Short mmCIF file of all heavy atoms in Angstrom, two decimals:
data_model
loop_
_atom_site.label_atom_id
_atom_site.label_comp_id
_atom_site.label_asym_id
_atom_site.label_seq_id
_atom_site.Cartn_x
_atom_site.Cartn_y
_atom_site.Cartn_z
N LEU A 1639 -39.92 -8.84 41.26
CA LEU A 1639 -40.57 -7.72 41.87
C LEU A 1639 -40.97 -8.19 43.36
O LEU A 1639 -41.82 -7.50 43.92
CB LEU A 1639 -41.84 -7.19 41.18
CG LEU A 1639 -41.59 -6.52 39.86
CD1 LEU A 1639 -42.91 -5.93 39.23
CD2 LEU A 1639 -40.60 -5.43 39.96
N GLY A 1640 -40.40 -9.13 43.82
CA GLY A 1640 -40.75 -9.57 45.27
C GLY A 1640 -39.88 -8.75 46.30
O GLY A 1640 -38.98 -8.03 45.89
N GLN A 1641 -40.22 -8.69 47.53
CA GLN A 1641 -39.58 -8.16 48.57
C GLN A 1641 -39.38 -6.72 48.50
O GLN A 1641 -38.30 -6.19 48.79
CB GLN A 1641 -38.13 -8.93 48.80
CG GLN A 1641 -38.27 -10.43 49.06
CD GLN A 1641 -37.04 -10.99 49.28
OE1 GLN A 1641 -35.96 -10.42 49.01
NE2 GLN A 1641 -36.94 -12.33 49.74
N GLY A 1642 -40.40 -5.99 48.00
CA GLY A 1642 -40.42 -4.59 48.12
C GLY A 1642 -39.57 -3.97 46.96
O GLY A 1642 -38.77 -3.02 47.27
N ALA A 1643 -39.60 -4.48 45.85
CA ALA A 1643 -38.64 -3.99 44.76
C ALA A 1643 -38.98 -2.60 44.42
O ALA A 1643 -40.10 -2.12 44.44
CB ALA A 1643 -38.67 -4.96 43.41
N VAL A 1644 -37.98 -1.84 43.94
CA VAL A 1644 -38.02 -0.46 43.36
C VAL A 1644 -37.75 -0.50 41.95
O VAL A 1644 -36.81 -1.14 41.53
CB VAL A 1644 -36.98 0.35 44.12
CG1 VAL A 1644 -37.05 1.95 43.42
CG2 VAL A 1644 -37.25 0.47 45.62
N VAL A 1645 -38.63 0.06 41.09
CA VAL A 1645 -38.58 0.09 39.70
C VAL A 1645 -38.20 1.45 39.21
O VAL A 1645 -38.90 2.42 39.54
CB VAL A 1645 -39.77 -0.39 39.03
CG1 VAL A 1645 -39.74 -0.39 37.56
CG2 VAL A 1645 -40.24 -1.78 39.51
N LEU A 1646 -37.05 1.46 38.34
CA LEU A 1646 -36.79 2.81 37.64
C LEU A 1646 -37.08 2.68 36.24
O LEU A 1646 -36.55 1.75 35.39
CB LEU A 1646 -35.26 3.04 37.84
CG LEU A 1646 -34.65 3.11 39.14
CD1 LEU A 1646 -33.20 3.34 39.02
CD2 LEU A 1646 -35.36 4.17 39.99
N LEU A 1647 -38.10 3.39 35.71
CA LEU A 1647 -38.53 3.37 34.35
C LEU A 1647 -37.93 4.52 33.57
O LEU A 1647 -38.25 5.76 33.96
CB LEU A 1647 -40.05 3.45 34.19
CG LEU A 1647 -40.69 3.55 32.88
CD1 LEU A 1647 -40.31 2.27 32.06
CD2 LEU A 1647 -42.27 3.74 33.03
N ILE A 1648 -37.00 4.44 32.75
CA ILE A 1648 -36.19 5.41 32.08
C ILE A 1648 -36.77 5.54 30.67
O ILE A 1648 -36.49 4.65 29.77
CB ILE A 1648 -34.73 5.15 31.99
CG1 ILE A 1648 -34.33 4.80 33.52
CG2 ILE A 1648 -33.92 6.38 31.43
CD1 ILE A 1648 -32.90 4.52 33.46
N THR A 1649 -37.54 6.51 30.35
CA THR A 1649 -38.11 6.77 28.96
C THR A 1649 -38.54 8.18 28.81
O THR A 1649 -38.92 8.73 29.82
CB THR A 1649 -39.27 5.80 28.65
OG1 THR A 1649 -39.80 5.95 27.35
CG2 THR A 1649 -40.32 5.83 29.76
N ASP A 1650 -38.73 8.61 27.66
CA ASP A 1650 -39.25 9.90 27.32
C ASP A 1650 -40.77 9.91 27.22
O ASP A 1650 -41.45 10.97 27.04
CB ASP A 1650 -38.54 10.58 26.18
CG ASP A 1650 -38.76 9.78 24.86
OD1 ASP A 1650 -39.45 8.73 25.03
OD2 ASP A 1650 -38.02 9.99 23.83
N GLY A 1651 -41.47 8.74 27.31
CA GLY A 1651 -42.85 8.55 27.17
C GLY A 1651 -43.48 8.78 25.79
O GLY A 1651 -44.70 8.79 25.60
N LEU A 1652 -42.66 8.90 24.82
CA LEU A 1652 -43.09 9.02 23.43
C LEU A 1652 -43.30 7.72 22.84
O LEU A 1652 -42.43 6.88 22.50
CB LEU A 1652 -42.12 9.79 22.53
CG LEU A 1652 -41.66 11.14 23.10
CD1 LEU A 1652 -40.59 11.90 22.23
CD2 LEU A 1652 -42.93 12.12 23.24
N ASP A 1653 -44.58 7.31 22.68
CA ASP A 1653 -44.97 6.00 22.40
C ASP A 1653 -45.47 5.87 20.96
O ASP A 1653 -46.24 6.65 20.40
CB ASP A 1653 -46.07 5.46 23.32
CG ASP A 1653 -46.41 4.04 23.20
OD1 ASP A 1653 -45.57 3.29 22.69
OD2 ASP A 1653 -47.49 3.53 23.65
N ARG A 1654 -45.02 5.00 20.20
CA ARG A 1654 -45.42 4.65 18.84
C ARG A 1654 -46.86 4.16 18.73
O ARG A 1654 -47.55 4.63 17.67
CB ARG A 1654 -44.48 3.53 18.15
CG ARG A 1654 -44.79 3.13 16.79
CD ARG A 1654 -43.68 2.17 16.34
NE ARG A 1654 -44.11 1.58 15.10
CZ ARG A 1654 -43.34 0.69 14.41
NH1 ARG A 1654 -42.28 0.13 14.95
NH2 ARG A 1654 -43.57 0.28 13.09
N ASP A 1655 -47.37 3.60 19.67
CA ASP A 1655 -48.75 3.18 19.69
C ASP A 1655 -49.68 4.09 20.29
O ASP A 1655 -50.92 3.70 20.65
CB ASP A 1655 -48.85 1.69 20.41
CG ASP A 1655 -48.10 0.77 19.63
OD1 ASP A 1655 -48.02 0.73 18.42
OD2 ASP A 1655 -47.71 -0.28 20.34
N ALA A 1656 -49.21 5.30 20.41
CA ALA A 1656 -50.10 6.44 21.11
C ALA A 1656 -50.73 6.06 22.38
O ALA A 1656 -51.87 6.50 22.71
CB ALA A 1656 -51.21 6.87 20.11
N GLY A 1657 -49.93 5.41 23.28
CA GLY A 1657 -50.31 4.96 24.53
C GLY A 1657 -51.41 3.99 24.66
O GLY A 1657 -52.10 3.64 25.69
N GLU A 1658 -51.51 3.16 23.61
CA GLU A 1658 -52.53 2.00 23.54
C GLU A 1658 -52.25 0.93 24.56
O GLU A 1658 -51.09 0.27 24.40
CB GLU A 1658 -52.67 1.46 22.21
CG GLU A 1658 -53.76 0.37 22.16
CD GLU A 1658 -53.86 -0.24 20.69
OE1 GLU A 1658 -53.25 0.45 19.72
OE2 GLU A 1658 -54.69 -1.17 20.51
N GLY A 1659 -53.04 0.69 25.52
CA GLY A 1659 -52.84 -0.40 26.61
C GLY A 1659 -51.78 0.04 27.54
O GLY A 1659 -51.53 -0.81 28.47
N LEU A 1660 -51.24 1.27 27.41
CA LEU A 1660 -50.16 1.56 28.39
C LEU A 1660 -50.66 1.88 29.76
O LEU A 1660 -50.01 1.56 30.76
CB LEU A 1660 -49.38 2.85 27.85
CG LEU A 1660 -48.23 3.32 28.72
CD1 LEU A 1660 -47.22 2.35 28.88
CD2 LEU A 1660 -47.64 4.59 27.89
N ALA A 1661 -51.74 2.51 29.90
CA ALA A 1661 -52.21 2.88 31.28
C ALA A 1661 -52.49 1.53 32.03
O ALA A 1661 -52.10 1.53 33.32
CB ALA A 1661 -53.51 3.66 31.21
N ALA A 1662 -53.08 0.54 31.49
CA ALA A 1662 -53.43 -0.68 32.31
C ALA A 1662 -52.08 -1.42 32.61
O ALA A 1662 -51.92 -1.94 33.78
CB ALA A 1662 -54.23 -1.63 31.34
N GLU A 1663 -51.05 -1.53 31.75
CA GLU A 1663 -49.88 -2.13 32.11
C GLU A 1663 -49.10 -1.31 33.21
O GLU A 1663 -48.49 -1.93 34.06
CB GLU A 1663 -49.02 -2.39 30.83
CG GLU A 1663 -49.62 -3.28 29.76
CD GLU A 1663 -49.91 -4.60 30.34
OE1 GLU A 1663 -49.28 -5.03 31.15
OE2 GLU A 1663 -50.87 -5.23 29.72
N ALA A 1664 -49.11 -0.06 33.00
CA ALA A 1664 -48.46 0.81 34.08
C ALA A 1664 -49.05 0.64 35.41
O ALA A 1664 -48.42 0.62 36.45
CB ALA A 1664 -48.39 2.29 33.66
N GLU A 1665 -50.38 0.58 35.36
CA GLU A 1665 -51.11 0.38 36.69
C GLU A 1665 -50.77 -0.99 37.28
O GLU A 1665 -50.65 -1.08 38.49
CB GLU A 1665 -52.57 0.48 36.43
CG GLU A 1665 -53.48 0.28 37.67
CD GLU A 1665 -54.89 0.35 37.62
OE1 GLU A 1665 -55.29 0.31 36.35
OE2 GLU A 1665 -55.68 0.39 38.39
N ARG A 1666 -50.60 -2.01 36.53
CA ARG A 1666 -50.32 -3.32 37.05
C ARG A 1666 -48.88 -3.36 37.59
O ARG A 1666 -48.57 -3.90 38.68
CB ARG A 1666 -50.40 -4.38 35.92
CG ARG A 1666 -50.09 -5.74 36.38
CD ARG A 1666 -50.26 -6.76 35.19
NE ARG A 1666 -49.86 -8.07 35.68
CZ ARG A 1666 -49.86 -9.11 34.83
NH1 ARG A 1666 -50.39 -8.99 33.58
NH2 ARG A 1666 -49.40 -10.33 35.24
N LEU A 1667 -47.89 -2.69 36.81
CA LEU A 1667 -46.58 -2.55 37.38
C LEU A 1667 -46.48 -1.81 38.70
O LEU A 1667 -45.78 -2.08 39.60
CB LEU A 1667 -45.74 -1.89 36.33
CG LEU A 1667 -44.30 -1.70 36.57
CD1 LEU A 1667 -43.55 -2.97 36.90
CD2 LEU A 1667 -43.60 -0.87 35.51
N HIS A 1668 -47.25 -0.71 38.74
CA HIS A 1668 -47.28 0.07 39.94
C HIS A 1668 -47.77 -0.61 41.07
O HIS A 1668 -47.24 -0.62 42.24
CB HIS A 1668 -48.06 1.33 39.72
CG HIS A 1668 -48.12 2.28 40.82
ND1 HIS A 1668 -49.30 2.65 41.41
CD2 HIS A 1668 -47.07 2.85 41.51
CE1 HIS A 1668 -49.03 3.70 42.48
NE2 HIS A 1668 -47.65 3.72 42.54
N LYS A 1669 -48.73 -1.55 40.93
CA LYS A 1669 -49.31 -2.31 42.05
C LYS A 1669 -48.38 -3.44 42.46
O LYS A 1669 -48.51 -4.02 43.47
CB LYS A 1669 -50.71 -2.84 41.70
CG LYS A 1669 -51.70 -1.70 41.59
CD LYS A 1669 -53.02 -2.26 41.22
CE LYS A 1669 -54.22 -1.27 41.08
NZ LYS A 1669 -55.56 -1.79 40.74
N SER A 1670 -47.46 -3.82 41.59
CA SER A 1670 -46.63 -5.02 41.83
C SER A 1670 -45.29 -4.60 42.53
O SER A 1670 -44.62 -5.52 43.02
CB SER A 1670 -46.36 -5.68 40.58
OG SER A 1670 -47.42 -6.08 39.91
N CYS A 1671 -45.00 -3.38 42.57
CA CYS A 1671 -43.63 -2.97 43.25
C CYS A 1671 -44.01 -2.00 44.25
O CYS A 1671 -45.05 -1.45 44.60
CB CYS A 1671 -42.80 -2.32 42.22
SG CYS A 1671 -43.35 -0.69 41.50
N ARG A 1672 -42.88 -1.83 45.14
CA ARG A 1672 -43.00 -0.91 46.30
C ARG A 1672 -43.06 0.57 45.87
O ARG A 1672 -43.73 1.47 46.50
CB ARG A 1672 -41.89 -1.21 47.33
CG ARG A 1672 -41.95 -0.42 48.62
CD ARG A 1672 -40.98 -0.89 49.64
NE ARG A 1672 -39.64 -0.52 49.17
CZ ARG A 1672 -39.00 0.49 49.63
NH1 ARG A 1672 -39.44 1.44 50.43
NH2 ARG A 1672 -37.67 0.67 49.15
N ARG A 1673 -42.17 0.85 44.83
CA ARG A 1673 -42.05 2.25 44.40
C ARG A 1673 -41.67 2.21 42.92
O ARG A 1673 -40.88 1.41 42.45
CB ARG A 1673 -40.93 2.92 45.23
CG ARG A 1673 -41.06 4.53 44.94
CD ARG A 1673 -40.03 5.14 45.94
NE ARG A 1673 -40.13 6.57 45.82
CZ ARG A 1673 -39.28 7.39 46.39
NH1 ARG A 1673 -38.22 6.88 47.10
NH2 ARG A 1673 -39.34 8.71 46.12
N LEU A 1674 -42.42 3.05 42.13
CA LEU A 1674 -42.18 3.21 40.70
C LEU A 1674 -41.72 4.61 40.47
O LEU A 1674 -42.42 5.57 40.61
CB LEU A 1674 -43.45 2.84 39.85
CG LEU A 1674 -43.35 3.13 38.36
CD1 LEU A 1674 -42.16 2.15 37.80
CD2 LEU A 1674 -44.68 2.67 37.67
N VAL A 1675 -40.44 4.77 39.85
CA VAL A 1675 -39.91 6.04 39.67
C VAL A 1675 -39.65 6.17 38.12
O VAL A 1675 -39.00 5.27 37.50
CB VAL A 1675 -38.47 6.19 40.37
CG1 VAL A 1675 -37.94 7.51 40.09
CG2 VAL A 1675 -38.75 6.10 41.96
N TRP A 1676 -40.28 7.24 37.70
CA TRP A 1676 -40.15 7.58 36.17
C TRP A 1676 -39.00 8.58 35.92
O TRP A 1676 -39.10 9.67 36.50
CB TRP A 1676 -41.34 7.91 35.56
CG TRP A 1676 -41.44 8.28 34.20
CD1 TRP A 1676 -40.40 7.98 33.22
CD2 TRP A 1676 -42.53 8.79 33.39
NE1 TRP A 1676 -40.77 8.38 32.05
CE2 TRP A 1676 -42.02 8.83 32.03
CE3 TRP A 1676 -43.74 9.22 33.70
CZ2 TRP A 1676 -42.84 9.39 30.96
CZ3 TRP A 1676 -44.48 9.79 32.65
CH2 TRP A 1676 -44.07 9.78 31.36
N LEU A 1677 -38.03 8.26 35.18
CA LEU A 1677 -36.98 9.14 34.83
C LEU A 1677 -37.05 9.56 33.28
O LEU A 1677 -37.02 8.78 32.50
CB LEU A 1677 -35.49 8.52 35.12
CG LEU A 1677 -35.39 7.90 36.42
CD1 LEU A 1677 -33.95 7.17 36.51
CD2 LEU A 1677 -35.37 9.06 37.50
N ASN A 1678 -37.30 10.78 33.11
CA ASN A 1678 -37.62 11.43 31.85
C ASN A 1678 -36.70 12.58 31.46
O ASN A 1678 -36.68 13.48 32.12
CB ASN A 1678 -39.03 11.80 31.76
CG ASN A 1678 -39.48 12.13 30.28
OD1 ASN A 1678 -38.69 12.43 29.42
ND2 ASN A 1678 -40.80 12.04 30.11
N PRO A 1679 -35.86 12.42 30.36
CA PRO A 1679 -34.86 13.43 30.03
C PRO A 1679 -35.63 14.72 29.40
O PRO A 1679 -34.96 15.81 29.50
CB PRO A 1679 -34.09 12.74 28.91
CG PRO A 1679 -34.91 11.75 28.33
CD PRO A 1679 -35.60 11.16 29.44
N LEU A 1680 -36.81 14.53 29.07
CA LEU A 1680 -37.54 15.73 28.66
C LEU A 1680 -37.98 16.78 29.79
O LEU A 1680 -38.11 17.91 29.52
CB LEU A 1680 -38.92 15.25 27.96
CG LEU A 1680 -38.74 14.56 26.64
CD1 LEU A 1680 -40.13 14.18 26.07
CD2 LEU A 1680 -37.84 15.23 25.70
N LEU A 1681 -37.81 16.32 30.95
CA LEU A 1681 -38.07 17.19 32.09
C LEU A 1681 -37.03 18.25 32.22
O LEU A 1681 -37.14 19.27 32.94
CB LEU A 1681 -38.07 16.42 33.40
CG LEU A 1681 -39.53 15.89 33.80
CD1 LEU A 1681 -39.34 15.12 35.05
CD2 LEU A 1681 -40.54 16.98 33.85
N ARG A 1682 -35.88 18.15 31.50
CA ARG A 1682 -34.86 19.29 31.55
C ARG A 1682 -35.40 20.50 31.01
O ARG A 1682 -34.89 21.57 31.26
CB ARG A 1682 -33.49 18.75 30.83
CG ARG A 1682 -33.75 18.76 29.30
CD ARG A 1682 -32.53 18.03 28.70
NE ARG A 1682 -32.49 18.18 27.14
CZ ARG A 1682 -33.19 17.28 26.41
NH1 ARG A 1682 -33.95 16.35 26.85
NH2 ARG A 1682 -33.12 17.36 25.08
N TRP A 1683 -36.34 20.56 30.10
CA TRP A 1683 -36.95 21.76 29.48
C TRP A 1683 -37.95 22.36 30.52
O TRP A 1683 -38.75 21.79 31.02
CB TRP A 1683 -37.60 21.41 28.16
CG TRP A 1683 -36.79 20.77 27.19
CD1 TRP A 1683 -36.96 19.50 26.87
CD2 TRP A 1683 -35.57 21.17 26.54
NE1 TRP A 1683 -35.91 19.08 25.93
CE2 TRP A 1683 -35.27 20.11 25.67
CE3 TRP A 1683 -34.91 22.39 26.55
CZ2 TRP A 1683 -34.08 20.26 24.83
CZ3 TRP A 1683 -33.86 22.55 25.70
CH2 TRP A 1683 -33.39 21.45 24.94
N GLU A 1684 -37.76 23.77 30.67
CA GLU A 1684 -38.56 24.48 31.56
C GLU A 1684 -39.95 24.51 31.03
O GLU A 1684 -40.99 24.52 31.87
CB GLU A 1684 -38.07 25.90 31.63
CG GLU A 1684 -36.70 26.02 32.27
CD GLU A 1684 -36.28 27.44 32.51
OE1 GLU A 1684 -37.01 28.36 32.08
OE2 GLU A 1684 -35.18 27.74 33.14
N GLY A 1685 -40.27 24.46 29.74
CA GLY A 1685 -41.55 24.54 29.06
C GLY A 1685 -42.17 23.18 28.92
O GLY A 1685 -43.15 23.14 28.13
N PHE A 1686 -41.65 22.07 29.54
CA PHE A 1686 -42.22 20.81 29.34
C PHE A 1686 -43.62 20.71 29.75
O PHE A 1686 -44.02 21.34 30.92
CB PHE A 1686 -41.29 19.88 30.13
CG PHE A 1686 -41.94 18.44 30.14
CD1 PHE A 1686 -41.84 17.53 28.97
CD2 PHE A 1686 -42.67 17.91 31.30
CE1 PHE A 1686 -42.48 16.31 29.03
CE2 PHE A 1686 -43.33 16.75 31.24
CZ PHE A 1686 -43.15 15.80 30.23
N ALA A 1687 -44.55 20.10 29.10
CA ALA A 1687 -45.88 19.85 29.39
C ALA A 1687 -46.09 18.46 29.04
O ALA A 1687 -45.84 17.95 27.93
CB ALA A 1687 -46.81 20.94 28.78
N PRO A 1688 -47.00 17.69 29.78
CA PRO A 1688 -47.41 16.34 29.58
C PRO A 1688 -48.52 16.33 28.50
O PRO A 1688 -49.70 16.00 28.81
CB PRO A 1688 -47.87 15.86 30.77
CG PRO A 1688 -48.31 16.99 31.63
CD PRO A 1688 -47.42 18.21 31.29
#
Side-chain angles (χ1 to χ4, degrees):
L1639 292 184
Q1641 299 183 352
V1644 175
V1645 178
L1646 303 182
L1647 178 62
I1648 307 175
T1649 179
D1650 53 12
L1652 304 180
D1653 190 22
R1654 179 177 175 179
D1655 296 331
E1658 182 180 354
L1660 180 55
E1663 298 299 335
E1665 181 181 11
R1666 179 177 174 181
L1667 176 62
H1668 184 236
K1669 291 179 177 179
S1670 301
C1671 64
R1672 185 170 67 95
R1673 192 174 182 190
L1674 177 58
V1675 180
W1676 182 7
L1677 306 178
N1678 191 335
L1680 296 182
L1681 272 181
R1682 71 190 188 277
W1683 304 113
E1684 293 183 359
F1686 172 80

